Amino acid sequence: GHIVRNWKVRWFVLLQDKLLYYKIEGGKKEPSPKGRILLDGCTITCPCLEYENRPLLIKLKTKTNTDYFLECCSREERDSWALDITGAIHAGHPVQVQELHRMKNSFKLLENISLHHIVERMCDSSTGIKLTRNLEQGNRYKETFTGSALVDWLISNSFAVSRFEAVTLASMLMEENFIKPVGARSTEATRYSDLCEQFLDDSTALYMFAESSKKKSSSKEELQFNISELRGTIVKQGFLVKQGHKRKNWKVRRFVLRADPAFLHYYDPTKEENRPVGGFSLRGCLVSALEDNGVPAGVKGNVQGNLFKIITKNDIHYYIQASSKAERAQWIEAIKPLT
C-alpha cells in the first residue's frame, strides 16, 4: 500500500500499456479496477531484494518516480510476470523483446568475470547474501543460504541476467570450492556429472561458504606457454563449457582464439591472473559439430547440446559446448580457416 505500508491481495491484469489491479471481495474481483500502473517509462527490478523476508518481489518504478512492490506466490510466477511486464514495457521495440527471450536460456557471462570478486561481494555485511539458520530433516545448519536465494542475489547484483546463467555461475562457485552444499537435498545433486545440474535453484537446497573463500594454490606444476603463442591477433573470445580430460566433468572456461600464430587457449575464470590453463596449436586440427541426438563415445555427463569437437594433429580430442547452435557455428567458422 502507498499510505499504510501493509500487503494486500490484488487481482492483476496486464494490458499492452498498463497493469490494472482489482480488489477481491467474496472470492471474486470487483468490476472496476482499484488502480492502474502506466508502463510507459517504467523500470522493473526483478528479483528485488529490498525486503529481506520477502524474496518473491517485483519492483516497478514509474516515470513519475512512484515505487510499486508486487509479491508473487512462487519464483516461477514472479519470473514469468517480470518477463511479460518487461515485454510490455518494450512493446514498441520488438528487437529488445526478442533479446529478453534469448537471454532467458543463455549463459553469456561477463567477459571480465572474477569469482574472487563475486565471493567478496557475497561476504559484504551490508549488501552481501544473507546468512540464516535453516532446518532440514531435523538437522540445524548455521550461516547458510538457499540455492534460489543465491540465484536471486547474483541477478540482483548484475552478475547474471537470467536464472539459467546464474545457476551456471553458482555451479562454478561450487566447482571451485568457494561454496559447498550442506544437507541431503543439495548434497545429492552433486552426484550429477553435468556442471549445471549440480547446483539447485531451489528454496530447500542449502549451501554455505567453504572454509576458505579462496582456493589453496595447486601443488601441480603450472603449464608453461611460449610467449609467442600469446602474441597472435585475437580473432574471437568468449565463454564455453569444456569437458576435462581426466575427470570428464564440465567446466566453464574463457576461450581466446588467436591468429598468426594460430592457437586456441582457455582460461580459468576463477583465477585473477590472466594466464591460460591450457591451449594448443590449431595447425592440422579438425573441427566439427556433433549432432544433438546422441552422445558420442568419449563424452560423459548430461550434454545440453550445441556440442562440437576439436581433434589436434596429436590426436587429442577436445569436447566443447556452446550456449546455442548459432554460437557453435560462429566458433567453428572462426576456427576452420586457422587449421
Side-chain angles (χ1 to χ4, degrees), residues 267-296:
Y267 297 73
D268 186 343
T270 68
K271 304 293 190 295
E272 293 184 329
E273 66 272 11
N274 192 31
R275 182 182 184 82
V277 295
F280 50 91
S281 170
L282 290 172
R283 294 302 177 196
C285 284
L286 297 174
V287 58
S288 60
L290 297 176
E291 295 301 323
D292 297 337
N293 57 352
V295 179

Side-chain angles (χ1 to χ4, degrees), residues 9-254:
V9 175
R10 293 288 183 256
W11 180 268
F12 280 81
V13 176
L14 176 61
L15 302 180
Q16 188 173 3
D17 60 345
K18 65 178 73 73
L19 191 61
L20 305 179
Y21 54 95
Y22 297 78
K23 288 183 69 174
I24 302 292
E25 291 292 342
K28 297 181 179 180
K29 73 180 180 70
E30 292 190 338
S32 300
K34 174 73 175 175
R36 68 194 67 216
I37 304 171
L38 299 178
L39 297 178
D40 179 43
C42 260
T43 58
I44 182 169
T45 303
C46 178
C48 172
L49 305 183
E50 292 188 28
Y51 288 83
E52 184 177 338
N53 297 323
R54 294 182 180 273
L56 304 179
L57 289 186
I58 297 171
K59 178 182 177 181
L60 288 176
K61 180 183 282 290
T62 68
K63 65 179 179 182
T64 58
N65 290 323
T66 303
D67 290 340
Y68 291 88
F69 294 93
L70 315 177
E71 184 174 36
C72 299
C73 298
S74 67
R75 279 179 169 79
E76 293 76 16
E77 188 175 76
R78 178 198 65 186
D79 293 345
S80 176
W81 271 98
L83 189 68
D84 290 337
I85 292 171
T86 306
I89 292 172
H90 298 295
H93 307 280
V95 174
Q96 286 182 275
V97 176
Q98 290 174 8
E99 181 69 8
L100 286 164
H101 285 274
R102 185 197 64 77
M103 288 193 304
K104 196 177 178 186
N105 291 305
S106 73
F107 61 84
K108 289 187 178 298
L109 302 176
L110 299 173
E111 292 294 329
N112 58 346
I113 190 170
S114 166
L115 296 190
H116 289 283
H117 174 62
I118 293 174
V119 172
E120 285 177 4
R121 290 279 302 275
M122 287 175 65
C123 294
D124 188 280
S125 58
S126 58
T127 60
I129 192 164
K130 304 301 180 185
L131 303 179
T132 58
R133 292 185 179 184
N134 284 285
L135 181 67
E136 185 194 45
Q137 297 182 356
N139 296 317
R140 291 186 180 276
Y141 299 98
K142 296 179 180 179
E143 296 188 331
T144 59
F145 47 87
T146 66
S148 53
L150 177 55
V151 170
D152 285 348
W153 186 88
L154 290 169
I155 297 173
S156 178
N157 285 271
S158 303
F159 290 116
V161 297
S162 68
R163 301 196 77 78
F164 183 84
E165 185 175 302
V167 167
T168 303
L169 191 51
S171 300
M172 292 166 60
L173 289 169
M174 188 169 66
E175 179 74 13
E176 300 300 334
N177 201 34
F178 288 101
I179 63 174
K180 64 179 182 181
V182 290
R185 182 88 171 86
S186 55
T187 303
E188 175 68 22
T190 60
R191 297 181 182 179
Y192 290 105
S193 57
D194 185 74
L195 179 69
C196 294
E197 292 186 359
Q198 293 180 6
F199 181 88
L200 298 177
D201 179 8
D202 193 298
S203 59
T204 63
L206 303 181
Y207 299 88
M208 66 186 305
F209 289 112
E211 291 181 7
S212 172
S213 62
K214 293 185 178 180
K215 286 195 74 176
K216 297 176 182 178
S217 59
S218 176
S219 59
K220 296 179 182 178
E221 191 174 321
E222 290 188 355
L223 292 170
Q224 299 297 318
F225 292 94
N226 191 320
I227 296 298
S228 64
E229 293 183 20
L230 305 176
R231 285 180 177 167
T233 303
I234 294 178
V235 176
K236 185 175 177 59
Q237 60 180 314
F239 286 92
L240 298 166
V241 183
K242 172 187 165 294
Q243 181 177 260
H245 287 294
K246 293 182 179 179
R247 293 180 58 197
K248 303 298 183 185
N249 55 350
W250 293 89
K251 291 186 177 182
V252 175
R253 293 289 181 251
R254 180 170 65 88

